[in-house]
Amino acid sequence: MKKIGRQLFIALMLLVMYVPILVLIFYSFTTSTNIGSVHGFSLDNYRTLLANEELRNMIAGTVLLAFGSAVIATILGSVGAIGNFYCKGIGKKYISALNEVPVVNADVVTGFSICIALVIVFGIDKSTYVPLVIGHVVLSVPFVYLSVLPKLKQMDSSLYEAAMDLGATPTQALVKVVLPQIFSGIISGFALALTLSLDDYFIASYTKPATFDTISTYVVNATKGSQTEIKTALWALSTVIFVIVLVVVLCMNLAGKKSEGGSSYEKAR
């Protein structure tokens, strides 16, 4: 009975999470303008998504921002995790503790504080996109740090010193020994940073230029307007994003299983 109860609970949670998404996907292939009534099936929402220049520019700008900020955040977070891992002294614990504060801090507080610090205090013009990029980097760096640090802890900490004892320079030891050991954590951190940037609303709304919209800010503004064609096209956009995320997750899981199988085979040999 306990096993059946656990299975029912898991099934219920999956329904709660995925049924709303499946409903949205279903309506993205209809001519309906409101959820609740079906008037016919069509691909007009996807045609609008591809044909509307405003939507295309918004998506391209969001993706470019996400990739750019994710690359910067991955570099900073990985360097910070490596530095703290090899750091000695009491400061090591304090750095880890301080890194956890932005993770649990509300995004609205982070966005508002970045806006005050960069725009008001330092006088940086929001039209330069600098506050927006910095905001997304600040949002993502702690999560990259937390993705890389466990991989460092799984690694033998003496490998770096051993490589230098064998004649490698510090840079060579880092690139050829340490980075391959934590590469999966770096990839996970990059993927997480990319997702956080694509999903962010509060930081972007406080720091973005007036003429620029991310997917999140555009969706919020569109739902307040009266452009029905744009609203329904956003259903199609949500479907495309969900399918892409699903494919990426499946590919990462398959790659992880193959790597685990390969390592198990090597150990057996």
Side-chain angles (χ1 to χ4, degrees):
M1 290 299 294
K2 289 183 178 180
K3 183 177 180 181
I4 294 174
R6 288 195 297 265
Q7 292 175 346
L8 289 175
F9 178 76
I10 293 173
L12 179 61
M13 291 299 100
L14 291 174
L15 284 174
V16 170
M17 289 189 295
Y18 287 102
V19 166
I21 299 175
L22 295 177
V23 170
L24 184 64
I25 292 173
F26 173 77
Y27 276 93
S28 71
F29 291 99
T30 69
T31 57
S32 303
T33 57
N34 293 298
I35 302 294
S37 60
V38 179
H39 302 293
F41 293 93
S42 173
L43 294 176
D44 288 344
N45 292 329
Y46 293 88
R47 295 191 186 98
T48 302
L49 183 63
L50 296 175
N52 190 292
E53 184 178 359
E54 182 181 353
L55 289 174
R56 292 202 310 269
N57 292 337
M58 177 269 295
I59 295 170
T62 303
V63 172
L64 182 62
L65 170 66
F67 269 95
S69 63
V71 168
I72 299 173
T74 301
I75 294 172
L76 295 178
S78 300
V79 170
I82 294 171
N84 190 43
F85 179 72
Y86 287 103
C87 176
K88 297 180 180 180
I90 194 171
K92 184 173 184 176
K93 294 182 179 179
Y94 286 114
I95 292 174
S96 295
L98 289 173
N99 181 77
E100 295 175 3
V101 174
V103 175
V104 298
N105 192 29
D107 288 352
V108 63
V109 176
T110 303
F112 193 56
S113 59
I114 290 174
C115 180
I116 292 176
L118 297 179
V119 178
I120 299 178
V121 177
F122 293 101
I124 299 177
D125 191 356
K126 288 174 65 175
S127 63
T128 60
Y129 294 91
V130 172
L132 178 60
V133 174
I134 292 178
H136 279 213
V137 170
V138 170
L139 172 68
S140 304
V141 165
F143 293 91
V144 176
Y145 176 95
L146 292 175
S147 297
V148 175
L149 192 60
K151 291 297 180 181
L152 286 164
K153 292 180 178 179
Q154 293 174 7
M155 181 188 71
D156 186 352
S157 59
S158 62
L159 288 176
Y160 180 77
E161 289 82 0
M164 289 195 295
D165 289 342
L166 293 173
T169 64
T171 302
Q172 289 175 334
L174 176 65
V175 174
K176 295 184 178 181
V177 177
V178 177
L179 290 184
Q181 296 289 325
I182 63 172
F183 185 71
S184 60
I186 294 175
I187 295 299
S188 298
F190 174 79
L192 187 56
L194 188 68
T195 303
L196 288 169
S197 179
L198 290 172
D199 187 56
D200 172 68
Y201 169 75
F202 288 107
I203 293 177
S205 63
Y206 280 114
T207 58
K208 72 179 184 66
T211 57
F212 179 80
D213 268 313
T214 63
I215 292 176
S216 298
T217 59
Y218 188 91
V219 168
V220 172
N221 294 330
T223 54
K224 297 177 181 177
S226 58
Q227 293 179 294
T228 303
E229 186 180 52
I230 297 297
K231 290 181 182 179
T232 55
L234 293 175
W235 298 350
L237 176 60
S238 301
T239 301
V240 172
I241 293 174
F242 176 75
V243 171
I244 292 174
V245 170
L246 183 62
V247 170
V248 170
V249 170
L250 290 175
C251 291
M252 290 179 66
N253 287 335
L254 290 174
K257 288 181 179 179
K258 288 182 179 179
S259 62
E260 289 178 1
S263 60
S264 300
Y265 176 74
E266 291 295 331
K267 289 180 181 178
R269 291 185 63 186

